[in-house]
Amino acid sequence: MFKRFLALSICSLAMAACQSASSVNSDPASTNGDSSAVSATTTTSAAAPKGNPADAATILARKQVPVVCYHQIRDWRPKDSKTAKDYIVPIANFKEHIKMLADSGYHTILPDQLYDYLAYGTALPSKPIMLTFDDTDLDQFTIAAPELKKYGFKGVYFIMTVSIGRPNYMNKEQIKQLSDDGNVIASHTWDHHNFKKFSGDDWVTQIDKPTKKLEEITGKPIKYFAYPFGLWNAEGLPELKKRGFKAAFQLAEKRDQNDPLLTIRRILDSGYWSTKTLHNSIKNSF
């Protein structure tokens, strides 16, 4: 299945601690404990940012915000391979991980907030974190979303449109509900095709048509994208820009030095990880 292809290479990337960009003293993300910070459930800043976005060097210099990636939230089955279990977080583990984040004082943010912080230096809440979910799995709606809601958290759901309405995947109504509840719906291609191999009509099939479909479902613009398998190449980034994407998310590779907004890093929360392992990985990877 989609999630197992290249899993070993992606997992090794996701679990490796990559170099973080150095923080400047005035970095808004370092306002831990600041009671005047933006509310965790606010999706946009109080005042729209003015002027041009920051250049790449400035964006790279800002402290990275932790972004965590999930796939399936379900208990392991006998047929699940050792590799697949990296992508399958057992239900009890997932609940413990989300509780740990809440108990540790993390506040979830959404892509508009992250973009405004990186591009304009807009302030974030204390201990910001972004929780993302790939591939449209039904358990993300039935298990993950209610658990996030329990703590006032919001998530980002990267939808692979070929799977909409299929058994064990979300349907249009469920995707719409996630959006209406204040979560963000974003693109993850039509059928999980490797972004590095896009050519010709792939841009229409994998990007343009899914964007249109998701906009029809949610009634909102689709401004964010996640690369299948976390794989990207610099040659394809201009195509995302032409289509109006504000930011795109990979896994744990180094960010592009010219287009850091289109190569934002994430780590994979492995099914093998304890709450302590996740906590340490968040601290060490960003």
Side-chain angles (χ1 to χ4, degrees), residues 45-260:
S45 55
K50 303 295 183 180
N52 295 322
D55 59 23
T58 300
I59 292 170
L60 288 165
R62 300 197 199 281
K63 181 175 174 60
Q64 293 181 77
V65 173
V67 185
V68 182
C69 175
Y70 293 94
H71 291 82
Q72 297 183 57
I73 314 296
R74 63 168 176 80
D75 293 334
W76 290 348
R77 300 165 185 158
K79 66 179 182 179
D80 291 329
S81 68
K82 182 177 179 180
T83 297
K85 290 176 181 178
D86 268 316
Y87 292 81
I88 306 167
V89 180
I91 296 172
N93 292 26
F94 178 78
K95 292 182 176 181
E96 290 174 357
H97 290 190
I98 299 303
K99 183 178 186 299
M100 178 275 292
L101 294 176
D103 291 345
S104 299
Y106 282 98
H107 297 92
T108 57
I109 65 169
L110 294 176
D112 280 350
Q113 288 173 279
L114 181 60
Y115 176 84
D116 286 350
Y117 159 65
L118 291 172
Y120 301 105
T122 304
L124 292 174
S126 60
K127 298 190 75 171
I129 193 168
M130 186 180 294
L131 303 179
T132 68
F133 299 85
D134 290 7
D135 297 351
T136 330
D137 289 271
L138 180 59
D139 49 57
Q140 297 171 5
F141 178 83
T142 59
I143 298 170
E147 198 65 22
L148 266 59
K149 188 174 183 179
K150 184 189 300 184
Y151 300 99
F153 286 175
K154 302 293 184 185
V156 187
Y157 296 83
F158 289 106
I159 302 298
M160 178 179 60
T161 55
V162 70
S163 61
I164 295 175
R166 291 185 176 183
N168 301 315
Y169 290 93
M170 286 186 265
N171 59 34
K172 293 178 181 179
E173 292 74 21
Q174 291 163 334
I175 294 169
K176 177 74 160 59
Q177 183 175 329
L178 287 174
S179 177
D180 290 348
D181 287 345
N183 302 284
V184 168
I185 301 302
S187 176
H188 197 43
T189 73
W190 176 59
D191 66 351
H192 217 267
H193 191 66
N194 187 341
F195 183 86
K196 296 174 74 172
K197 297 181 179 180
F198 281 12
S199 64
D201 290 342
D202 288 336
W203 296 105
V204 174
T205 302
Q206 301 293 339
I207 302 293
D208 296 344
K209 289 183 178 180
T211 296
K212 182 179 179 181
K213 185 167 188 175
L214 294 174
E215 289 180 343
E216 290 173 348
I217 291 171
T218 64
K220 300 173 183 177
I222 301 301
K223 301 178 288 185
Y224 301 99
F225 177 78
Y227 301 100
F229 316 110
L231 301 176
W232 58 276
N233 58 1
E235 292 78 11
L237 302 185
E239 294 291 339
L240 293 181
K241 286 183 180 179
K242 285 196 304 186
R243 286 162 170 81
F245 285 98
K246 296 174 69 174
F249 296 79
Q250 51 154 328
L251 282 175
E253 290 186 1
K254 190 174 182 179
R255 292 173 292 172
D256 186 86
Q257 297 299 294
N258 297 314
D259 285 305

Side-chain angles (χ1 to χ4, degrees), residues 237-285:
L237 302 185
E239 294 291 339
L240 293 181
K241 286 183 180 179
K242 285 196 304 186
R243 286 162 170 81
F245 285 98
K246 296 174 69 174
F249 296 79
Q250 51 154 328
L251 282 175
E253 290 186 1
K254 190 174 182 179
R255 292 173 292 172
D256 186 86
Q257 297 299 294
N258 297 314
D259 285 305
L261 288 173
L262 294 179
T263 51
I264 296 173
R265 295 178 57 253
R266 302 187 290 171
I267 60 169
L268 180 72
D269 185 0
S270 169
Y272 293 103
W273 284 4
S274 66
T275 54
K276 183 178 180 180
T277 305
L278 174 60
H279 186 266
N280 289 341
S281 185
I282 288 170
K283 291 179 62 177
N284 294 333
S285 296

Side-chain angles (χ1 to χ4, degrees), residues 1-64:
M1 193 172 173
F2 303 119
K3 308 176 186 69
R4 301 186 183 182
F5 181 68
L6 293 181
L8 285 172
S9 60
I10 296 171
C11 180
S12 63
L13 287 171
M15 297 178 68
C18 295
Q19 288 185 338
S20 297
S22 59
S23 173
V24 294
N25 292 334
S26 60
D27 196 324
S30 64
T31 57
N32 292 358
D34 182 357
S35 60
S36 65
V38 179
S39 168
T41 58
T42 302
T43 57
T44 57
S45 55
K50 303 295 183 180
N52 295 322
D55 59 23
T58 300
I59 292 170
L60 288 165
R62 300 197 199 281
K63 181 175 174 60
Q64 293 181 77

